């Protein structure tokens, strides 16, 4: 066995014998043992409740691993070692690698935070929101700015609306051999629709804010804020557990939206749908995205009946079991199957897939077919 293979086994198994490991490898082994051996080997590892000690440990972890791995290890530390109390200290909070899971933790803890820590928490959440907006906004706006009417042509298009293939074909007679290019004399493009509010598509995100749905709530809030900025859509955001909070009026400020969410508590999907029902005045132009794991704590029969009625009225009902990068979610399979039997698509979706999903819904294409074509597993309907 080569020395490199021995080294890898020692690091993987957390061997007590560090002979043959360099100083950096010993630090790496101790950093991992502090977390993953703390509950299995008495007297070994552990991070304790010391903020400086944990901060040094986080510094080591960031040195050894890329950011996505750091975020996973950091999440494990919070869950395994109950380090959330340290997040009340602004100095410690500043050292953390920020991601959607950290945002969810900060939202759930905000009621217990002192004012100084709250200021730091807002800065951390603001950084995550800024990063997510950079990642998700451009594609979302591009996909959903459906103001372009591709059935009508104009010879005075805006730059973004120019139909370049048609323009090149129209101007081939103006080909300039010396420059090896076509100089367009006539531009051909798409005419824009002029739409009144009554003609707009209405998108309503109804989001379960129980603890298990935390990453989905964060992503849904970001997407709602992006869609609300588009004049060609009317967007609402409703979050619920056993109570209901309508955050539509705050969508211009995603940070304010996130701090308006109350993670945790029970789940009353039926009550949330009843509220959404009162806000729908044009069913045929409304897309209702119910984002929940479907573990109903209220009246399950009434919940299913209400969804069936919404579907029957013409509302485009889509159920997302999760809107996150966390993989296949846990969900109530009975309710999922019953809703799928209503011809409503039921599946989990990643943030990167969401803009394409919405574009498919807004252009009235078959969402189920889109999901299947993109390798997304749909829930099958059951009676």
């Amino acid at each position: 066995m080569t020395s490199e293979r021995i080294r890898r086994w020692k690091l993987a198994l957390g061997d007590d014998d560090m002979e043959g490991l360099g100083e950096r490898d010993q630090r790496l082994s101790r950093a991992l043992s502090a977390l993953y051996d703390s509950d299995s080997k008495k007297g070994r590892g552990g991070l304790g409740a010391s903020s400086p000690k944990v901060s040094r440990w986080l510094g080591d972890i960031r040195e050894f691993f890329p950011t996505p791995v750091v975020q996973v290890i950091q999440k494990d530390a919070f869950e395994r070692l109950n380090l959330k109390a340290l997040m009340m200290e602004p100095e410690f909070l500043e050292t953390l690698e920020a991601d959607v899971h950290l945002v969810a933790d900060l939202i759930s803890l905000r009621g217990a935070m002192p004012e100084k820590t709250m200021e730091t928490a807002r800065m951390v959440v603001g950084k995550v929101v800024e990063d997510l907006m950079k990642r998700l906004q451009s594609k979302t706006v591009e996909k959903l700015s459906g103001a372009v009417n591709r059935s009508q042509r104009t010879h005075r298009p805006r730059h973004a609306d120019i139909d370049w293939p048609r323009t090149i074909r129209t101007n081939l007679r103006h080909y300039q051999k010396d420059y090896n290019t076509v100089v367009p004399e006539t531009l051909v493009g798409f005419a824009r629709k002029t739409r009144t509010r009554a003609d707009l598509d209405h998108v309503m995100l109804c989001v379960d804010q129980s603890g298990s749905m935390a990453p989905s709530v964060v992503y849904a809030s970001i997407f709602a804020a992006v869609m609300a900025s588009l004049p060609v859509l009317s967007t609402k955001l409703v979050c619920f557990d056993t109570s209901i909070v309508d955050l539509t009026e705050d969508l211009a400020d995603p940070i304010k939206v996130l701090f308006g969410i109350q993670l945790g508590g029970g789940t009353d999907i039926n009550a949330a749908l009843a509220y959404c029902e009162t806000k729908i005045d044009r069913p045929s132009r409304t897309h209702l995205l119910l984002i929940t794991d479907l573990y109903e704590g209220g009246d399950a029969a009434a919940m299913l009946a209400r969804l069936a009625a919404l579907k029957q009225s013409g509302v485009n009902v889509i159920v997302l079991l999760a809107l996150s990068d966390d993989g296949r979610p846990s969900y109530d399979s009975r309710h999922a199957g019953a809703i799928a039997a209503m011809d409503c698509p039921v599946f989990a979706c990643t943030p990167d897939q969401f803009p394409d999903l919405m574009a498919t819904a807004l252009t009235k294409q078959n969402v189920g077919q889109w999901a299947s074509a993109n390798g997304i597993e749909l829930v099958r309907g059951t009676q």
Side-chain angles (χ1 to χ4, degrees):
M1 183 178 290
T2 66
S3 59
E4 176 61 19
R5 290 179 66 188
I6 294 174
R7 168 185 173 271
R8 288 177 177 271
W9 275 111
K10 284 179 178 287
L11 291 174
L13 298 175
D15 198 331
D16 288 314
D17 180 11
M18 293 192 184
E19 184 178 352
L21 294 180
E23 186 272 337
R24 189 174 186 277
D25 283 341
Q26 291 183 32
R27 286 173 54 218
L28 171 57
S29 181
R30 284 193 294 267
L32 293 175
S33 295
L35 173 58
Y36 295 109
D37 289 341
S38 61
D39 57 358
S40 59
K41 297 183 181 180
K42 187 176 180 180
R44 176 133 181 243
L47 295 175
S50 164
S51 177
K53 188 174 182 180
V54 177
S55 296
R56 285 195 299 272
W57 174 78
L58 284 169
D60 286 342
I61 292 298
R62 278 197 293 270
E63 177 184 341
F64 299 134
F65 299 104
T67 295
V69 179
V70 171
Q71 291 171 346
V72 171
I73 295 174
Q74 182 175 278
K75 184 171 181 286
D76 285 348
F78 291 146
E79 293 176 352
R80 293 166 64 92
L81 302 178
N82 193 27
L83 296 181
K84 290 186 178 180
L86 286 175
M87 291 169 62
M88 299 298 173
E89 302 179 23
E91 295 78 13
F92 173 68
L93 189 54
E94 290 173 352
T95 70
L96 297 176
E97 198 69 49
D99 67 350
V100 292
H101 297 285
L102 179 60
V103 169
D105 287 334
L106 293 175
I107 292 170
S108 65
L109 292 170
R110 71 185 187 278
M113 284 183 179
E115 186 58 35
K116 185 177 180 181
T117 305
M118 193 65 177
E119 293 175 7
T120 305
R122 287 185 179 276
M123 291 174 57
V124 172
V125 171
K127 181 180 183 302
V128 175
V129 168
E130 182 181 358
D131 291 345
L132 287 176
M133 293 291 276
K134 287 179 181 178
R135 170 188 163 191
L136 303 171
Q137 185 172 30
S138 177
K139 183 179 180 181
T140 304
V141 171
E142 178 185 350
K143 291 286 183 180
L144 304 188
S145 55
V148 173
N149 181 359
R150 296 182 180 274
S151 65
Q152 298 180 12
R153 304 284 177 173
T154 177
H155 292 297
R156 299 183 62 184
R158 301 183 189 184
H159 184 272
D161 301 336
I162 296 174
D163 183 346
W164 286 109
R166 180 68 66 89
T167 295
I168 292 171
R169 288 196 299 271
T170 302
N171 290 276
L172 283 175
R173 65 181 181 276
H174 302 302
Y175 179 76
Q176 302 294 313
K177 185 176 181 181
D178 292 342
Y179 297 99
N180 195 30
T181 190
V182 170
V183 177
E185 183 177 283
T186 303
L187 295 176
V188 181
F190 304 113
R192 285 179 175 260
K193 293 178 181 178
T194 56
R195 310 178 83 180
T196 65
R197 180 170 177 79
D199 294 325
L200 296 179
D201 278 282
H202 300 265
V203 177
M204 183 173 291
L205 299 177
C206 183
V207 189
D208 184 345
Q209 62 181 2
S210 58
S212 60
M213 298 295 296
S216 298
V217 177
V218 175
Y219 279 121
S221 300
I222 298 297
F223 279 118
V226 172
M227 289 191 291
S229 70
L230 300 176
V232 294
L233 288 178
S234 171
T235 305
K236 297 184 184 300
L237 175 64
V238 176
C239 294
F240 68 92
D241 41 37
T242 52
S243 59
I244 299 162
V245 56
D246 190 332
L247 296 166
T248 302
E249 297 301 319
D250 296 330
L251 285 176
D253 185 350
I255 298 174
K256 186 176 181 180
V257 169
L258 288 171
F259 277 97
I261 293 165
Q262 182 61 59
L263 292 172
T267 309
D268 193 337
I269 304 172
N270 180 54
L273 291 173
Y275 176 83
C276 291
E277 205 170 24
T278 67
K279 301 297 180 179
I280 296 174
D281 54 10
R282 295 179 64 83
S284 64
R285 301 199 70 91
T286 299
H287 309 269
L288 174 64
L289 281 86
L290 176 62
I291 304 176
T292 176
D293 53 18
L294 294 173
Y295 288 113
E296 173 66 305
D299 189 332
M303 179 263 289
L304 294 173
R306 200 175 297 278
L307 277 171
L310 286 166
K311 175 71 176 178
Q312 185 66 29
S313 72
V315 175
N316 183 18
V317 178
I318 301 169
V319 177
L320 296 184
L321 302 169
L323 177 58
S324 70
D325 295 304
D326 294 344
R328 186 176 178 83
S330 170
Y331 63 91
D332 189 306
S333 58
R334 295 171 304 164
H335 294 155
I339 296 169
M342 302 173 192
D343 199 26
C344 299
V346 182
F347 56 92
C349 179
T350 68
D352 288 331
Q353 293 167 328
F354 187 81
D356 288 319
L357 161 63
M358 286 308 309
T360 301
L362 292 170
T363 52
K364 302 188 184 305
Q365 299 178 60
N366 189 301
V367 172
Q369 290 180 2
W370 169 83
S372 296
N374 284 274
I376 298 173
E377 185 177 352
L378 288 154
V379 173
R380 295 182 180 278
T382 58
Q383 298 297 330

